[in-house]
Every structure is written in structure tokens, then in C-alpha cells.
Amino acid sequence: MKLKEVTIHKYKSIESDQTFLVEDDVTVLVGMNESGKTSILEALAKSNYFQKDSKFQYNTTHDYPRKEKKKLDKSGADPYAISCVYTIPQTLLDQISKEVGNDIFTQTEVKVSHKYSNEIIFENIQTDFQKFVEGKTTLLGISSKTLNDKLLACENATTLDAVIAEYKDDNIVNGLTSLKKYFENE
């Protein structure tokens, strides 16, 4: 995926949303000393660091604007640090279609936001879940309106396990178990 747009919400010396586009050829950060250029690059690095490193995780004590920290502590909020918009290349879209089915996921961009708790949020993901369920159960040879309706009500692997527990037929149990990876929210 290719980074297209960045919004730094509140990070060190950046006290209000700062958004910039990442151009195809060159993107330049220009500013006076102590204006936040390094903070922008650091916030960006923490959003997609190449290995697990506690130094490269968001931390309200070290990263949140100092003069707003006390107010944040009293509120108990978990604010956003950064939001990044990525374009999805056609090769990845083709892989996704091969895995989940055609016309299930058709977006060409995805927004990924990071909170100070280091929770990652994929925003505005739109899929045709009903078409996905119908396609997968048909492919597995277990499709029925009743089963599909139960799957459409599933929100995670735990609720899928409850549906699996209702069936004794090995073909259905094995088919539903093979769908588990799509219901894991990690």
C-alpha cells in the first residue's frame, strides 16, 4: 500500500490537526526550528514501525502536547495520534478478491488511525458481507438461508463458535470452522 495522506492530530508540539498529502514524486516538510518537522516524522514512524519496539509506540506522557496533558488525564479519553490514508494497489485488490470473492471489497483507499493506547483502527471499510457469506457457504456446499442468516449475525469468532456448536454434521462443522479466520478481529 502507498501512503497518500497524513493527519497528525495532537503530537508533541502539534496541538491541532495538521494534514498533508504525500506526493508521488517529492514531499518536503519545511519550517523553522522547533516547528514540528521531526515530530511529524516520528509520529509517522510510530504508525508503521518495522519491528515491535516500546520506544516506537505512542505514549501520552512523552508524546501528547505537554500543556494539554493534565486535561487529558482528567478526561480519561484515548485520543487519536495520527491518521493515514493509503491507496491499495490493484495487485492487492486482486489478491483480496481471490481470497474473499469478487465485488466483496472494492475500495481503493483505506484510512488507518492510531490512538495513544496504540489501538489501530481501520476506518470506512466497506464490504458486502452478505455476498461474502453466500459465496463462501455456496463454495463449501453448506449454503442454506438459515445458516447464512446465522452467519450474518456473527460479529466475531466467539459468536461463530456458538453457531458451530449448533451443528453435528461434519461437513457443516468443518466448513464453518474454515471460515473462522474471517471472524477473528485481531
Side-chain angles (χ1 to χ4, degrees):
M1 295 194 304
K2 183 173 186 261
L3 183 61
K4 177 181 176 181
E5 180 180 302
V6 176
T7 300
I8 309 290
H9 298 287
K10 288 185 184 243
Y11 190 85
K12 294 191 176 183
S13 63
I14 300 166
E15 297 174 350
S16 62
D17 287 3
Q18 300 294 314
T19 301
F20 61 92
L21 297 175
V22 177
E23 301 295 332
D24 286 340
D25 46 2
V26 175
T27 299
V28 178
L29 296 176
V30 178
M32 295 174 48
N33 290 345
E34 305 297 318
S35 64
K37 298 181 301 290
T38 301
S39 293
I40 288 172
L41 295 175
E42 186 179 279
L44 193 54
K46 288 181 180 185
S47 74
N48 196 16
Y49 201 61
F50 60 92
Q51 66 185 25
K52 201 159 189 90
D53 185 341
S54 61
K55 294 176 190 168
F56 277 87
Q57 292 187 341
Y58 299 102
N59 180 311
T60 55
T61 301
H62 300 294
D63 300 332
Y64 202 75
R66 180 81 48 222
K67 68 182 183 183
E68 297 183 35
K69 175 76 167 76
K70 192 175 274 191
K71 182 180 173 184
L72 174 67
D73 290 343
K74 287 181 182 179
S75 75
D78 181 18
Y80 285 85
I82 188 171
S83 296
C84 300
V85 176
Y86 296 91
T87 57
I88 304 170
Q90 189 59 50
T91 54
L92 181 55
L93 288 172
D94 292 344
Q95 285 179 303
I96 293 169
S97 289
K98 186 177 179 182
E99 175 70 25
V100 299
N102 290 328
D103 302 322
I104 306 291
F105 180 89
T106 57
Q107 290 174 239
T108 57
E109 293 181 354
V110 65
K111 183 176 182 180
V112 182
S113 295
H114 297 259
K115 290 186 157 193
Y116 273 94
S117 64
N118 291 290
E119 176 185 2
I120 300 171
I121 300 163
F122 293 85
E123 300 182 53
N124 303 322
I125 300 291
Q126 299 168 1
T127 61
D128 189 336
F129 189 54
Q130 182 173 350
K131 190 172 184 179
F132 167 76
V133 166
E134 290 170 356
K136 286 295 184 183
T137 57
T138 299
L139 186 66
L140 294 167
I142 59 173
S143 184
S144 74
K145 178 160 179 27
T146 303
L147 177 61
N148 290 354
D149 288 345
K150 289 178 183 180
L151 289 174
L152 289 172
C154 288
E155 296 178 357
N156 53 41
T158 303
T159 55
L160 178 62
D161 284 339
V163 172
I164 294 170
E166 295 177 25
Y167 292 91
K168 302 291 182 226
D169 181 306
D170 286 343
N171 188 39
I172 294 173
V173 170
N174 291 337
L176 292 174
T177 301
S178 75
L179 297 177
K180 212 169 194 176
K181 66 182 176 181
Y182 300 109
F183 290 87
E184 293 171 347
N185 297 329
E186 301 273 347

